[in-house]
Amino acid sequence: MKPIIGNTEYFKGIGSVRFEGKESDNPLAYKYYDPKRIVLGRTMHEHFKFAVAYWHTFCNTGGDPFGVGPKNYPWNTAADPLQAAKDKMDAAFEFISKLGLEYFCFHDYDLVDEAETLAASEKRLQTIVDYGKVKKAGTSIKVLWGTANLFGHPRYMNGAATNPDFNVVAHAGAQVKNALDATIALGGENYVFWGGREGYMSLLNTDMKKELDHMAQFLHIARDYARSQGFKGTFFIEPKPMEPSKHQYDFDAATVIGFLQKYGLDKDFKLNIEVNHATLASHTFQHELQVAVNDDMLGSIDANRGDYQNGWDTDQFPNNLYEIVEALLVLVRGGGLKGGGVNFDAKTRRNSTDLEDIFYAHIGAIDLFAKGLLIVEEIINDGMYEELLSGRYASFTTGNGAKFEKGELGLTTLHDLAHQNVITQLSGKQERIENLLNRFV
Ligand code: XUL
Ligand code: CO
């Protein structure tokens, strides 16, 4: 794909990033990611559908609670918000196309700053979406998923769909309607709900059951509206246990699946699992993936990593090969992502201030996934991992174990069999399996 350059070239001196193989010492080349390479029956591109997160890469200037952001983006200089939004979109298309990618993800007010009134915001959003439609025409760039920012503005301090004030719920509805329209207009394949402030700080002032009922009702009508507009994609819920609220309703994958099933939303909704959110919930990423796989709910992932020495959402680009291999093993054995892709919900560090740093960050993360996939291919083709894993459950393949699985044995039969059986100790073989993985990593 040729780079898509607008009126200004923002990343001068950086051309198309290409696959050059692991011997290459070019920091602006892929060493492992070869999009057309077939791995386990699908191209690398099909396995991953990598997406750039608009908010971290083009909006976030590195501010933290202790100071303003030090990053000066050249697309962020126009005083007119619509001009600034167009410049930002030009930079986004240039960046995505230079990386050889096809997807991005956005919140409504990443595309253009929110205005003073809802009417003015809608008009701005419509204008930038029209601009985006023209830019994407004839290219392969599209939206992996869109979403609405229902957490940044002070009106959402008590929640959005779960706000105790109906007027705020209605405002959230308007934003979701507009964000759905924008997603559909920009060729969006999916739509995400991350429950930013859907949760609570104190149960003393919270009717939790009412709020959960409202959240479900809100999701039902959002789904109905999108379907009425011809949206065929999947809706994703992105679990996160805490931050910004003390208790987030979408705590983890298991909680969200239970919620979706209870409220009859499990046909249209799947999960978007984020690495750092998994660790905040005291789970591994691979645990969360497996919980989703168990119910055929693994839709998409937000790729990043946390920090082992602190307890918040640091959204760092992934770089740990061992962890990625374990996660991809779950993902690949589970049949891959259902509709979604790999969105880099990650930011370069506050002091990574050169424009080229966002290239290094994405290239490194993409190569990590590609290398991880190649390792998983070897592990799967080797067969020993599968053998060790299924070997642990061998007693269920024939005889009474198989009958138990089919529901043919009652509790009295188990009781009678227990009197005849002799239990032999079966090792978990964890170290053996860890050593096996290390042979390939
Ligand atoms: C917040 C987070 C969000 C969602 C989209 O932790 O991950 O960026 O991915 O709203
Ligand atoms: Co996320």
Side-chain angles (χ1 to χ4, degrees):
M1 184 166 58
K2 269 183 52 197
I4 303 165
I5 295 166
N7 290 334
T8 308
E9 183 172 10
Y10 288 105
F11 306 100
K12 280 210 182 68
I14 298 180
S16 293
V17 176
R18 298 185 204 285
F19 171 71
E20 291 185 8
K22 69 176 180 184
E23 303 311 326
S24 165
D25 60 3
N26 175 2
L28 289 166
Y30 295 117
K31 317 291 182 301
Y32 297 94
Y33 182 57
D34 182 1
K36 294 202 170 67
R37 176 164 176 181
I38 310 268
V39 184
L40 296 165
R42 303 159 78 194
T43 65
M44 281 191 166
H45 168 77
E46 286 163 345
H47 274 282
F48 294 127
K49 295 207 282 186
F50 291 119
V52 176
Y54 219 87
W55 52 101
H56 283 312
T57 303
F58 309 114
C59 307
N60 183 335
T61 56
D64 69 12
F66 305 95
V68 295
K71 302 183 193 202
N72 300 308
Y73 295 139
W75 52 85
N76 201 9
T77 55
D80 169 36
L82 269 168
Q83 189 55 51
K86 288 177 183 170
D87 293 346
K88 181 159 59 174
M89 192 167 273
D90 284 353
F93 272 71
E94 183 186 331
F95 180 73
I96 296 163
S97 63
K98 282 187 168 174
L99 278 176
L101 303 182
E102 296 189 349
Y103 291 97
F104 67 95
C105 298
F106 70 93
H107 301 83
D108 46 358
Y109 298 138
D110 300 337
L111 296 184
V112 60
D113 288 350
E114 183 170 5
E116 284 299 311
T117 65
L118 179 60
S121 298
E122 268 175 7
K123 222 166 138 211
R124 276 191 192 175
L125 193 59
Q126 185 62 54
T127 310
I128 191 65
V129 167
D130 287 345
Y131 186 73
K133 274 165 76 173
V134 173
K135 277 204 80 87
K136 78 183 270 302
T139 77
S140 51
I141 294 191
K142 49 200 167 292
V143 168
L144 183 67
W145 51 259
T147 188
N149 181 331
L150 304 180
F151 43 88
H153 193 281
R155 79 173 70 84
Y156 295 121
M157 67 179 187
N158 293 307
T162 62
N163 198 294
D165 178 354
F166 171 72
N167 288 339
V168 179
V169 177
H171 195 103
Q175 254 187 265
V176 168
K177 178 188 174 295
N178 294 336
L180 279 164
D181 290 341
T183 303
I184 294 168
L186 293 172
E189 296 185 2
N190 307 279
Y191 187 87
V192 160
F193 290 88
W194 167 57
R197 290 187 195 272
E198 314 294 23
Y200 65 89
M201 306 306 271
S202 167
L203 199 52
L204 291 173
N205 64 7
T206 303
D207 184 337
M208 197 206 294
K209 162 116 180 39
K210 200 180 216 15
E211 293 197 0
L212 284 165
D213 288 347
H214 290 177
M215 191 159 87
Q217 184 59 23
F218 189 90
L219 295 176
H220 269 280
I221 60 179
R223 187 259 335 261
D224 291 346
Y225 172 75
R227 294 291 183 233
S228 78
Q229 299 304 299
F231 179 67
K232 300 258 186 316
T234 306
F235 303 90
F236 299 138
I237 305 258
E238 183 177 320
K240 183 172 183 179
M242 64 190 86
E243 200 201 20
S245 301
K246 174 167 168 56
H247 299 274
Q248 298 277 130
Y249 290 137
D250 298 327
F251 187 93
D252 63 0
T255 310
V256 172
I257 291 171
F259 171 87
L260 292 173
Q261 289 171 344
K262 171 177 173 185
Y263 288 100
L265 290 159
D266 50 319
K267 297 285 168 288
D268 297 281
F269 285 75
K270 292 193 186 299
L271 304 189
N272 181 38
I273 305 287
E274 175 163 328
V275 186
N276 207 165
H277 296 178
T279 43
L280 286 175
S282 298
H283 297 308
T284 60
F285 179 41
Q286 52 271 32
H287 168 89
E288 287 293 83
L289 295 176
Q290 187 61 55
V291 171
V293 164
N294 293 348
D295 280 303
D296 195 25
M297 282 279 189
L298 181 56
S300 207
I301 64 180
D302 267 13
N304 54 27
R305 72 185 153 106
D307 180 300
Y308 288 126
Q309 282 76 47
N310 64 27
W312 67 89
D313 204 359
T314 58
D315 283 342
Q316 288 164 255
F317 277 86
N319 73 348
N320 187 319
L321 185 59
Y322 201 93
E323 284 181 359
I324 285 292
V325 167
E326 284 199 35
L328 290 181
L329 204 49
V330 175
L331 191 142
V332 169
R333 290 182 72 251
L337 299 168
K338 304 292 157 66
V342 177
N343 167 46
F344 292 113
D345 193 357
K347 56 191 178 207
T348 51
R349 297 303 83 191
R350 175 179 157 83
N351 56 351
S352 296
T353 47
D354 289 342
L355 272 189
E356 64 184 19
D357 292 332
I358 55 175
F359 278 88
Y360 296 141
H362 284 84
I363 291 169
I366 289 167
D367 260 347
L368 181 80
F369 272 79
K371 188 171 180 177
L373 183 68
L374 293 171
I375 291 170
V376 165
E377 181 185 40
E378 283 188 59
I379 294 171
I380 288 179
N381 288 343
D382 170 77
M384 182 52 79
Y385 173 68
E386 209 62 53
E387 208 176 303
L388 288 170
L389 181 57
S390 58
R392 295 194 70 213
Y393 301 89
S395 61
F396 289 92
T397 41
T398 52
N400 288 323
K403 284 191 191 155
F404 169 81
E405 278 196 355
K406 287 191 206 125
E408 289 170 9
L409 304 186
L411 199 60
T412 351
T413 319
L414 292 198
H415 168 266
D416 296 346
L417 289 168
H419 278 281
Q420 301 155 29
N421 290 346
V422 183
I423 296 176
T424 42
Q425 203 168 45
L426 272 184
S427 164
K429 287 277 175 282
Q430 183 176 327
E431 297 77 7
R432 165 103 197 262
I433 297 178
E434 285 170 348
N435 293 354
L436 177 71
L437 253 58
N438 274 337
R439 259 187 61 213
F440 298 98
V441 176

